[in-house]
Amino acid sequence: MADRTRTSLARLGLTEPWAEGTLRDLGWWDGDRPVQGAEEIMWALARAPDPDLALRQVERLAHAAADWKRIEAELHTDVGLRGRLFALLGASTALGDHLIAHPDRWPLLADTADRFDPPPDCARRTANLLRAVGADPAAERPRAQATGTAAVTALRTAYRDELLGLAAADLAAVGEPALPVMEVDEVAAQLADLAAAALTAALAVAVEETDPPEDTRLAVIGMGKCGGRELNYVSDVDVIFVGEGDLQVATKLASRVMRIAGEACFEVDANLRPEGRQGALVRTLDGHVNYYKRWAKTWEFQALLKARPIAGDAALGRAYAEAVAPMVWSAAGRDDFVTDVQAMRRRVEEHVRPDHADRELKLGRGGLRDVEFAVQLLQLVHGRTDPTLRSPSTLEALAALSEGGYVGRDDGANLAASYRFLRLLEHRLQLQKMRRTHLLPARTDTDALRWLARAARMRPDGRNDVVGVLTNEWQRNVRRVRRLHEKLFYRPLLTSVSRLSADDNRLSEKAAAARLKALGWASPEGALGHLRALTGGVSRAASIQQTLLPVLLDALATTPDPDRGLLAYRQVSEALATTPWYLRLLRDEGQVAERLMYLLGTSALVPDLLVRAPEILRVLATPTPGQPDELTRDPAAVGQWLLAAVARQPDLTSAVASARSMRRHELLRVACADLLGTLTVAEVCEALSTVWIAVLRATLAATTKAVAGDGPVLARIAVIGMGRLGGAELGYSSDADVLFVCAPAAPDVSDAAAVKFATAVVEGVRTRLGAPSPDPALIVDADLRPEGRSGPLVRTLESYRAYYARWSEVWEAQALLRAKPVAGDVELGRAFVELIDPIRYPAEGLEAEAVTEIRRIKARVDEERLPRGADRSTHTKLGHGGLADVEWTVQLLQLQHAGDVPELRTTSTLDGLREAAGAGLISADDAAELRAGWEAATRARNAIMLVKGKPGDQLPRSGRELASIATALGYPADGDPGQFLDDYRRTTRRARAVVERVFYGWTE
């Protein structure tokens, strides 16, 4: 019998060992079954979110209530009381405690309570709370009789009484399924009305405490969820105060209202007022209007969208609402609208703790804020011309957007359903302990999840228990909301320009253009043209584009130049129209699509290269586990692959074309990896230098073979890398600075014949690599050779020896510091290095005259080569603290000390800096500043090429190009690009200070 009893109670959800004894004491259980007549009571108890909690609270109520017998009798006959009481006591410990502390309030839950007569009357609640503090509800300016602690206590009790009745009605269908289900938006509206009533009562108390003059007026404007009549059970109530008359007295009134309401009911937050916390708590109507006209940000108008007078002087409140409304509905036309909107989106995401991201109902991806933000943005865009959209309620506005054709009807209905579901979970979580929370229980906390599911009226579905049902519903709704931007923002755009189903609502051309402009497109008409071209027709490609574009447009909208990105996407799509896997890859690999949109909306170089190297898209995908990431391949392996592939070509033309094509592919791969942040600046330089060297080697070998033809090779040729090529520091726009040295290939070949043969080879290499072609040109620059452009293109080793012995100047020794064999005959290259080492690493260092000469040359170069109108603080090559400053400083140290310090004998600027610091020639701090300056300038110079698609050394001062460069360098796309300029100037200014001391020898 005892075993059957425990099993039976467990099936009713009563698992605590004391449950049976408590039920016996209450007279509801006998042996192994409910007593006769208590069956409905037991089933209602079993349906409570937590039956054990409900039973424990009933036991406490039975001991506290003087008329428990009457309550128990009513439970047998009053279905409403039964359902509300057990559901409430099993759902909320806080409201259960309130009922037990005030057991005489139980009639508030009975069917006879007038608060359940539809519709609930806000005026009735306001009257109840005013009477609680001794104020006359009929008075034009209610004034309480209670003040101080007594008033707070009375207001707190009356407010909790109202909450008790509302929560009981909200939960009623949980305890008794036959009772009406109260929609979550109706609950939220009544909570907002209750908050307004509480503020009205708090103001009545404040009036009694401060006794303001008759001409002092104060209106309380509800903001946020209170203004929109969509308040939570536990939430700060956002307000703005408007006053007239004596503002000092009005401010005192407002402060008292905040304190009284805060102690009795909820926190009152006035931080949405002009200037936020730093601004005056109370302003006149004119003061508010002047602020909004002159200083307000877009987000402030977004906040004002929900402004609603809720307490205090009604006429003043109406005047405020009428004054600010026109400004709200013109905000989308502001110059900074897009920037502010992007910043608002970023702030939402930044407020989510990473460890809470998958449990956040409010701020997480797919959460409540996503819906609210999307709806408000669409209201601001289209509400300028359509007054039907101007509702402060999220759900009412969403319905109006659907009715007006701005959102598809199905999409609007589905999003509203998801929003209601998320708000229901939020309400239930807050009801439990009347605490502010938006966090779902952890997946491992099955008891808490079970309670939440039952409180939300969920039941097992035959495949999952109640926890599984909750988890599945949560994930399904979050996934649906995560698509809100594509559904709300972009699908109607495609409907307006393509042949989609006539069942969908269509935006007008004007509305579609307005939406695109609000989302960041500077030329919405052009964007619509691109969308027409991409989605036109009935082909499979057009159908896939219609599926893809909402996601792609959402990603493009977050880039610095969505106009250029959409144009580039159209060009790439048209160029790859016959490539079968292109659209399929974008559709099936989400990361590829997301990365591609970022690249196209940031860089002009990438789309130019991508059209002829579409296969690079495959490396944007997430690598297969256990496989190397193709996006960041080893440069040495890439070089070997290129050499082998070129060597297989049958003739010189094919070989050179193959080499240039592979360089384009690698240039694109490196650019993508660079923009995506997977390579450091040193790795970018190494990768670009390696592919350049591989192309030189392959082309030299193929050209040598072609020039020789059927005859012998008459010369050994070595290519000496100079400048950035020799230092393995090439950028995207760098030429290849080289010297060519040759030697007879056999004893019977004269120097003249060798030079003639080598010159033919070298001229062929330069001509073919620099010839016009769809692939990027490779300029082989030999101007650093002896005698410059007037000197012979190729010299023998002995010719170089004779020249340097007789004519070499200090600048040539400096240039030779970067000399390194990169292609051709290895032994000849080694011999050339042995020849020049004494020149570039003088054993005795530099004489003072030579140091002065280097400084003089540097000053002349800086003065003569800086373009007219250039900003020296942001010129990456010749600007203060830029590339030239750092490189000349390192090279001077090498010329002075490399004879004694062998570690300084490197062609790398950064290696030279490290060794100079290691040798004590400069301090570690100075070396760090110089390195930072060099890296900042190199990254910025590379970014200019990536963004503009053409070489440049000068950073833009403002505009989209600057924003794109900042984004390419890792700054937020919707942030202030001026931050990047400030950081760049700060870094290079510090590097320049070191240059002035170390290179120029200046002292403070």
Side-chain angles (χ1 to χ4, degrees), residues 695-717:
V695 169
L696 273 174
R697 289 176 178 172
T699 307
L700 179 66
T703 307
T704 301
K705 181 179 177 181
V707 171
D710 295 332
V713 173
L714 300 180
R716 294 183 292 132
I717 304 171

Side-chain angles (χ1 to χ4, degrees), residues 6 81 198 218 267 303 348 516 534 536 538 540 581 668 696 762 813 870 923 943 994:
R6 284 195 292 273
L81 174 64
L218 182 70
E267 290 297 319
V348 169
L516 277 171
L534 288 164
V538 293
R540 177 170 174 78
W581 52 263
L668 177 56
L696 273 174
V762 167
S923 70
V994 178

Side-chain angles (χ1 to χ4, degrees), residues 5-16 18-19 23 42-43 45-55 450 454:
T5 300
R6 284 195 292 273
T7 301
S8 182
L9 287 177
R11 291 181 61 187
L12 292 173
L14 296 161
T15 59
E16 295 292 343
W18 45 261
L23 287 169
M42 289 301 301
W43 281 115
L45 183 63
R47 286 189 290 266
D50 184 342
D52 285 319
L53 173 64
L55 179 57
R450 183 178 298 106
R454 289 168 61 88

Side-chain angles (χ1 to χ4, degrees), residues 372-432:
E372 293 162 355
F373 173 84
V375 171
Q376 290 165 23
L377 179 57
L378 291 179
Q379 285 183 275
L380 290 173
V381 172
H382 300 298
R384 291 183 293 173
T385 56
D386 189 345
T388 65
L389 305 181
R390 299 176 182 178
S391 170
S393 162
T394 299
L395 289 169
E396 288 181 6
L398 184 53
L401 287 165
S402 296
E403 186 66 27
Y406 304 98
V407 174
R409 291 183 187 276
D410 287 345
D411 294 338
N414 286 334
L415 199 70
S418 290
Y419 185 70
R420 287 188 172 97
F421 174 76
L422 296 176
R423 289 299 305 273
L424 176 63
L425 295 186
E426 181 183 46
H427 279 188
R428 295 297 183 259
L429 286 168
Q430 293 184 349
L431 260 179
Q432 189 175 32

Side-chain angles (χ1 to χ4, degrees), residues 341-619:
V341 164
Q342 291 172 337
M344 285 186 284
R345 289 181 69 176
R346 186 179 73 250
R347 280 198 295 270
V348 169
E349 296 173 359
E350 288 176 349
H351 280 78
V352 181
R353 280 178 48 176
D355 57 328
H356 289 172
D358 62 343
R359 296 163 52 204
E360 254 283 353
L361 284 164
K362 182 178 180 181
L363 302 177
R365 288 190 63 203
L368 293 163
R369 272 287 189 268
D370 272 357
V371 183
E372 293 162 355
F373 173 84
V375 171
Q376 290 165 23
L377 179 57
L378 291 179
Q379 285 183 275
L380 290 173
V381 172
H382 300 298
R384 291 183 293 173
T385 56
D386 189 345
T388 65
L389 305 181
R390 299 176 182 178
S391 170
S393 162
T394 299
L395 289 169
E396 288 181 6
L398 184 53
L401 287 165
S402 296
E403 186 66 27
Y406 304 98
V407 174
R409 291 183 187 276
D410 287 345
D411 294 338
N414 286 334
L415 199 70
S418 290
Y419 185 70
R420 287 188 172 97
F421 174 76
L422 296 176
R423 289 299 305 273
L424 176 63
L425 295 186
E426 181 183 46
H427 279 188
R428 295 297 183 259
L429 286 168
Q430 293 184 349
L431 260 179
Q432 189 175 32
K433 296 181 180 179
M434 292 304 291
R435 292 179 182 172
R436 185 178 182 181
T437 181
H438 315 282
L439 198 64
L440 280 178
R443 291 180 181 271
T444 55
D445 193 349
T446 54
D447 288 342
L449 289 170
R450 183 178 298 106
W451 167 86
L452 178 59
R454 289 168 61 88
R457 295 179 56 244
M458 293 181 183
R459 294 292 181 264
D461 61 4
R463 291 173 298 175
N464 299 286
D465 64 6
V466 71
V467 173
V469 171
L470 170 64
T471 302
N472 290 342
E473 279 296 293
W474 156 251
Q475 293 173 343
R476 183 177 70 86
N477 281 277
V478 165
R479 283 194 300 269
R480 185 158 65 181
V481 173
R482 280 179 180 174
R483 298 194 300 269
L484 83 124
H485 291 297
E486 65 176 88
K487 289 289 185 181
L488 294 188
F489 294 158
Y490 301 108
R491 179 64 64 187
L493 293 174
L494 301 186
T495 309
S496 67
V497 299
S498 66
R499 300 178 182 177
L500 295 181
S501 169
D503 294 336
D504 288 327
N505 294 305
R506 292 179 181 272
L507 289 177
S508 67
E509 287 276 325
K510 183 176 180 181
R515 182 173 299 188
L516 277 171
K517 184 176 181 181
L519 294 169
W521 271 263
S523 176
E525 293 80 9
L528 289 172
H530 299 321
L531 295 180
R532 287 191 194 94
L534 288 164
T535 60
V538 293
S539 66
R540 177 170 174 78
S543 177
I544 296 176
Q545 289 284 16
Q546 290 165 8
T547 301
L548 278 172
L549 276 166
V551 180
L552 303 184
L553 290 171
D554 186 38
L556 270 178
T558 64
T559 66
D561 196 343
D563 293 86
R564 182 174 65 189
L566 184 56
L567 170 62
Y569 177 68
R570 176 183 174 182
Q571 292 171 336
V572 170
S573 295
E574 290 174 347
L576 303 182
T578 58
T579 305
W581 52 263
Y582 165 63
L583 289 177
R584 186 170 63 249
L585 178 69
L586 295 185
R587 182 191 63 194
D588 298 340
E589 291 283 350
Q591 179 171 273
V592 174
E594 184 177 338
R595 283 179 161 184
L596 178 61
M597 293 306 103
Y598 166 74
L599 295 170
L600 297 182
T602 304
S603 170
L605 179 65
V606 166
D608 288 346
L609 297 172
L610 184 61
V611 170
R612 288 181 53 80
E615 63 276 7
I616 199 67
L617 287 174
R618 298 182 187 275
V619 307

Side-chain angles (χ1 to χ4, degrees), residues 111-152:
D111 279 342
T112 55
D114 62 356
R115 67 194 61 238
F116 301 128
D117 295 336
D121 185 5
C122 178
R124 181 193 57 75
R125 284 203 169 99
T126 303
N128 286 348
L129 267 58
L130 284 171
R131 291 191 190 97
V133 296
D136 180 4
E140 181 178 351
R141 193 176 188 182
R143 189 176 188 127
Q145 295 180 1
T147 59
T149 303
V152 168

